[in-house]
Amino acid sequence: MPGAGGPWRGYINFCAPSGGKAFGLLKAQQEERLDEINKQFLDDPKYNSDEDLLSKLEAFKKKYMEFDLNGNGDIDIMSLKRMLEKLGVPKTHLELKKLIKEVSKGSGETFDYSDFLRMMLGKRSAILKMILMYEEKAREQEKPTCPPAKKAISELP
């Protein structure tokens, strides 16, 4: 009888997706799950009166996918920490816990996409919502409206 793991122990399974393929597959599955939740929000009478709802949901989905790094559907305290640091708004551990508790309906340790959408589409001004909206406005202002002026070689440093 061969050792633990059988005769194929130590061999690589070339049929299973790995690396970039596995990550792409994970992201596609994640996007499908988020699309299902978006559909629920589109059908919800509480939200479907918003004429721009579809484009908002698509933008929120992209933003959420950007920060749900492990693809499990929840944003935990470390993902939120990275998100806010990337946006230039670092927070302490205690502040992060408070933000998550404000957004989540569940355990208070994480928040899911539905919690995120309720926050972003709701009338209440959550701190996280304000930070994300501020970041979006700042990004819009950064975009140049025309190509940069040409410089002569003598003007270069």
Side-chain angles (χ1 to χ4, degrees), residues 22-35 65 71:
F23 182 74
L25 195 62
L26 181 72
K27 282 297 182 186
Q29 290 169 344
Q30 178 189 28
E31 191 166 4
E32 282 178 27
R33 285 191 310 268
L34 298 183
D35 283 337
M65 286 180 69

Side-chain angles (χ1 to χ4, degrees), residues 33-92:
R33 285 191 310 268
L34 298 183
D35 283 337
E36 279 299 313
I37 295 169
N38 278 355
K39 195 169 186 242
Q40 292 170 6
F41 273 78
L42 283 168
D43 295 338
D44 189 329
K46 185 176 177 182
Y47 301 104
N48 67 8
S49 60
D50 188 340
E51 60 196 46
D52 202 22
L53 184 61
L54 186 59
S55 62
K56 283 181 183 177
L57 290 173
E58 278 301 310
F60 295 151
K61 178 178 75 173
K62 284 186 178 129
K63 181 66 67 186
Y64 193 84
M65 286 180 69
E66 185 179 332
F67 294 110
D68 180 14
L69 301 177
N70 58 9
N72 71 352
D74 291 336
I75 290 184
D76 62 2
I77 199 160
M78 290 311 293
S79 297
L80 182 60
K81 179 180 173 64
R82 274 188 237 109
M83 175 196 312
L84 295 176
E85 284 174 351
K86 186 176 176 186
L87 300 175
V89 191
K91 297 285 180 194
T92 66

Side-chain angles (χ1 to χ4, degrees), residues 3 14 18 33 55 64 83 94 127 132 134:
F14 288 103
S18 62
R33 285 191 310 268
S55 62
Y64 193 84
M83 175 196 312
L94 194 58
I127 296 166
L132 290 170
Y134 171 78

Side-chain angles (χ1 to χ4, degrees), residues 9 24 48 74 76 94 123 126 131 133 151:
R9 190 173 138 244
N48 67 8
D74 291 336
D76 62 2
L94 194 58
K123 305 294 181 226
I131 291 168
M133 293 176 101
K151 292 186 176 184

Side-chain angles (χ1 to χ4, degrees), residues 130-148:
M130 291 186 295
I131 291 168
L132 290 170
M133 293 176 101
Y134 171 78
E135 182 260 345
E136 199 62 39
K137 296 280 184 218
R139 216 182 254 169
E140 286 173 9
Q141 291 174 353
E142 288 175 6
K143 293 179 185 171
T145 55
C146 60

